Amino acid sequence: MALIEVKNLEKIYSDEKMETVALRGVSFNIEQGEFVAITGPSGSGKSTLLHILGFLERPSKGEYYFEGKTINDYSPEELAHLRNKKMGFIFQMFNLLPRTTVLENVKLPLLYAGLKESAQNALTLKAIEAVGLTHRLNHETSQLSGGEKQRVAIARALVNNPSVIFADEPTGNLDSKSGGQIMEIIGSLNQQGHTIILITHETYTAEYAERVINLKDGQIESDKKVSGRHFVYKDHFVK
């Protein structure tokens, strides 16, 4: 059973004057443990697809199955709970609380998990250690560099041990060195068994994935394995 299965997915945005078709009959599967990049130019439907896969929007037509169950069977409240438990999100703009510490930012998703504080703290520290930021534990995120902020965002996405991590242009606001370090961490998470869905317009960044789905005008233009992929070996990328 595929982790994610979409069939003939369509998304239409309507207002009083016109309809805009963002996705047109999109179909694919993603298996547990895959690293998939979704690419395409601006307006191709990447963000819309991410929002649907992450339970942030519902499709207009078609079917979406997550872990074998269709999202149409869930209420908005149930989808929100499932999203918090099963999914982690990394955004280009980091989306961190600026006047709170690294510890507090990473811990945030656990506040709704019904765990004892000692368990929350243990999971939070483990996630922060995984991205190499234990020395910044009590620093406010406003004191961090861009690369460090994105590491915090990765730790926050990781803290619930989600089935899938969505990375939406995670290197878009970083210089090439910091961007490479972030992709190194994301690649390591995939090697540890996490399913990664990467949204990017950068060809070089997409080559860290094992498979690339390219969108154009709301349709899949290509879906293929990456040749000459960048791999992670002992915290280093080699090609």
Side-chain angles (χ1 to χ4, degrees):
M1 179 183 68
L3 175 67
I4 286 173
E5 183 178 2
V6 298
K7 299 179 179 179
N8 300 315
L9 214 62
E10 294 187 12
K11 183 63 179 180
I12 302 171
Y13 296 100
S14 302
D15 58 30
E16 296 178 355
K17 296 182 179 180
M18 62 180 296
E19 287 189 343
T20 301
V21 181
L23 294 174
R24 308 168 185 265
V26 172
S27 299
F28 60 85
N29 292 354
I30 295 176
E31 303 295 332
Q32 178 69 46
E34 273 198 276
F35 188 164
V36 180
I38 298 174
T39 66
S42 178
S44 61
K46 301 190 303 296
S47 294
T48 298
L49 182 56
L50 171 67
H51 291 165
I52 292 173
L53 296 180
F55 300 157
L56 300 171
E57 294 186 38
R58 289 182 183 266
S60 303
K61 296 180 183 179
E63 300 172 275
Y64 172 24
Y65 294 88
F66 183 81
E67 294 185 335
K69 298 180 181 179
T70 175
I71 66 167
N72 294 327
D73 291 340
Y74 295 98
S75 68
E77 292 76 17
E78 289 170 331
L79 286 178
H81 177 74
L82 193 60
R83 183 169 60 245
N84 186 60
K85 291 288 292 181
K86 297 284 188 176
M87 298 178 174
F89 295 87
I90 306 165
F91 298 101
Q92 179 178 349
M93 300 302 294
F94 316 131
N95 290 3
L96 302 176
L97 300 176
R99 293 183 178 84
T100 55
T101 65
V102 169
L103 179 69
E104 292 165 330
N105 269 278
V106 175
K107 190 177 181 179
L108 190 61
L110 297 175
L111 299 180
Y112 310 98
L115 299 174
K116 293 182 178 180
E117 187 169 358
S118 58
Q120 292 181 23
N121 289 336
L123 289 171
T124 301
L125 291 173
K126 182 179 178 181
I128 293 171
E129 182 179 2
V131 299
L133 279 182
T134 51
H135 64 294
R136 293 289 206 177
L137 197 66
N138 295 311
H139 285 71
E140 292 186 357
T141 55
S142 58
Q143 300 173 306
L144 306 181
S145 69
E148 288 173 330
K149 289 178 181 178
Q150 196 60 289
R151 290 189 187 199
V152 177
I154 292 172
R156 183 183 58 192
L158 186 63
V159 73
N160 265 331
N161 193 29
S163 298
V164 57
I165 295 175
F166 294 97
D168 187 7
E169 301 281 4
T171 63
N173 279 337
L174 303 177
D175 59 49
S176 58
K177 180 180 179 180
S178 297
Q181 292 171 342
I182 292 305
M183 290 309 303
E184 180 175 330
I185 293 171
I186 292 174
S188 295
L189 293 177
N190 176 243
Q191 285 197 340
Q192 294 165 25
H194 291 278
T195 305
I196 308 292
I197 299 178
L198 169 70
I199 306 295
T200 183
H201 68 279
E202 299 170 336
T203 301
Y204 185 80
T205 301
E207 289 176 348
Y208 288 109
E210 60 187 314
R211 173 183 167 202
V212 175
I213 298 173
N214 187 64
L215 297 180
K216 184 177 180 181
D217 298 329
Q219 297 177 302
I220 294 180
E221 185 177 49
S222 62
D223 182 349
K224 57 188 178 182
K225 296 289 185 179
V226 175
S227 59
R229 182 189 175 201
H230 303 274
F231 288 93
V232 184
Y233 291 103
K234 297 181 180 179
D235 297 328
H236 293 282
F237 278 116
V238 297
K239 190 173 182 179

